Amino acid sequence: MTKLFLIDDHPIVREGLRAFLELSEDLEVVAEAGSMEEARAALKLHTADIFLLDIQLGEDLKQQNGLRLIPEIKQAQPNAKIIILSSFIDEDFVRDAMRLGVQGFLSKHAGPKALRDAIYAALRGELPLDDKAVKVLAEQQIDLLASVSKREREVIALVAEGLSNKAIAKELNITEKTVKAHLTNIFSKLGLKDRLQLALYAKDRHL
């Protein structure tokens, strides 16, 4: 049984979500919250596999921004997955949510079936995203790639081929120290952590 935790400031929305989701025999809503304060209190009492989190949890979005709950949820329940379910598909919100490590981002207009499919996709380790969220992230990646120099692209291509730093240095006629410096810059520019992520990134984008 997959346990769900609903965080949305509209009772009617929560009621509708609960009614629909519990039509599936393997989904159970174990907790609800209508504000950040309620969410924090319920987080101490309930564990869940999936959190469905709205961004705006009150009239004042600056003070009641649901994204601020993400680190707290992750600290309390590190194995739980978080799907943003919001009417806001703003570039900054999408980027902030992905940076904070959510497992999905859907519009409230996506439809019930899309939400249920997103839950199952997140459980499989996939990243369900609204079409607009995909577009925002794609544009972000284009911007990031624009900051990568020609030489850095050469290094990326060789990493994708599986070459070591020593082999890359020989291929490009530079020192290993220079290769390491390029890699440090590349990781920083693209928001990646290691060579494996870089290799996968390069292959996905045919660099």
Side-chain angles (χ1 to χ4, degrees), residues 114-171:
L115 174 58
R116 186 173 57 195
D117 290 347
I119 290 171
Y120 292 129
L123 290 171
R124 292 193 300 268
E126 299 171 15
L127 187 67
L129 296 171
D130 182 273
D131 289 344
K132 189 171 181 181
V134 170
K135 182 180 179 182
V136 168
L137 293 176
E139 290 172 349
Q140 180 184 18
Q141 291 302 324
I142 291 172
D143 291 342
L144 291 176
L145 279 172
S147 69
V148 175
S149 69
K150 181 180 178 181
R151 175 62 87 186
E152 288 169 346
R153 282 178 179 258
E154 292 173 342
V155 172
I156 292 172
L158 294 174
V159 168
E161 292 179 14
L163 272 65
S164 65
N165 285 0
K166 184 176 182 179
I168 293 173
K170 183 176 181 181
E171 181 73 21

Side-chain angles (χ1 to χ4, degrees), residues 37-125:
E37 292 73 20
E38 289 180 8
R40 289 180 174 122
L43 195 57
K44 298 176 182 178
L45 303 174
H46 303 278
T47 59
D49 302 299
I50 299 279
F51 284 76
L52 297 178
L53 174 63
D54 192 6
I55 290 176
Q56 185 164 7
L57 298 176
E59 292 297 325
D60 186 347
L61 180 55
K62 185 175 181 181
Q63 295 297 323
Q64 298 291 324
N65 187 334
L67 298 184
R68 292 165 57 188
L69 287 171
I70 295 174
E72 298 177 43
I73 294 171
K74 286 187 164 294
Q75 182 175 7
Q77 301 184 36
N79 295 323
K81 299 181 184 300
I82 302 170
I83 297 175
I84 299 297
L85 183 62
S86 178
S87 53
F88 290 94
I89 308 292
D90 174 272
E91 288 186 18
D92 291 336
F93 287 139
V94 173
R95 289 170 178 162
D96 288 346
M98 301 309 295
R99 178 178 55 80
L100 289 167
V102 303
Q103 279 69 45
F105 200 117
L106 290 183
S107 166
K108 285 185 176 180
H109 306 296
K113 183 179 183 301
L115 174 58
R116 186 173 57 195
D117 290 347
I119 290 171
Y120 292 129
L123 290 171
R124 292 193 300 268

Side-chain angles (χ1 to χ4, degrees), residues 157-207:
L158 294 174
V159 168
E161 292 179 14
L163 272 65
S164 65
N165 285 0
K166 184 176 182 179
I168 293 173
K170 183 176 181 181
E171 181 73 21
L172 299 179
N173 195 29
I174 56 179
T175 65
E176 284 188 60
K177 184 177 180 180
T178 300
V179 173
K180 291 179 180 178
H182 282 316
L183 286 172
T184 297
N185 290 334
I186 291 166
F187 292 151
S188 176
K189 289 179 179 180
L190 299 183
L192 303 175
K193 295 180 180 179
D194 54 39
R195 297 174 72 95
L196 176 58
Q197 285 190 354
L198 179 58
L200 293 173
Y201 180 96
K203 290 179 179 179
D204 285 345
R205 291 158 182 78
H206 306 289
L207 298 179

